[in-house]
């Protein structure tokens, strides 16, 4: 059995087991593990990307936006 299939089988086994767990302490432990292992994509992007996103949000908050129909006209040749 290749390792990908083995991992999938183990995931399914865990899913089945978790669905039967009634001990809140175990569920809380599992949630702590999940939260620790879950990475926020924001932490993995560059400062330039963060600045660009923040600028876009500020522009949108200030109403400095272009309607989709106008943007589509400007970029139609690439779409």
């Amino acid at each position: 059995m290749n390792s990908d299939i083995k991992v999938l089988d183990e995931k399914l086994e865990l899913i089945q087991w978790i669905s039967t767990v009634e001990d809140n302490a175990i569920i809380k432990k599992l949630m702590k593990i999940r939260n620790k292992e879950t990475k926020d994509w924001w932490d993995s992007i560059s400062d330039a990307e963060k600045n660009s996103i923040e600028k876009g949000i500020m522009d949108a908050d200030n109403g400095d936006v272009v309607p989709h129909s106008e943007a589509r006209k400007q970029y139609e040749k690439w779409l």
Side-chain angles (χ1 to χ4, degrees):
M1 178 183 302
N2 77 33
S3 63
D4 290 341
I5 293 174
K6 182 174 171 50
V7 169
L8 288 174
D9 287 343
E10 289 171 341
K11 286 180 180 182
L12 287 172
E13 185 178 335
L14 283 169
I15 291 168
Q16 290 172 344
W17 173 72
I18 290 170
S19 71
T20 65
V21 171
E22 293 184 16
D23 185 337
N24 286 341
I26 292 174
I27 293 171
K28 288 182 191 271
K29 285 179 187 177
L30 291 170
M31 290 304 294
K32 282 183 183 178
I33 292 170
R34 179 183 164 257
N35 291 337
K36 182 180 175 187
E37 296 297 321
T38 303
K39 295 181 181 176
D40 189 338
W41 62 268
W42 185 261
D43 296 331
S44 66
I45 63 175
S46 70
D47 287 340
E49 290 169 314
K50 289 177 186 176
N51 290 337
S52 180
I53 291 168
E54 288 170 345
K55 183 184 179 313
I57 292 170
M58 284 176 41
D59 287 345
D61 288 346
N62 293 328
D64 187 16
V65 294
V66 175
H68 179 262
S69 59
E70 290 300 315
R72 188 157 180 85
K73 286 178 191 174
Q74 291 176 7
Y75 295 99
E76 193 171 69
K77 61 183 170 189
W78 292 291
L79 298 176

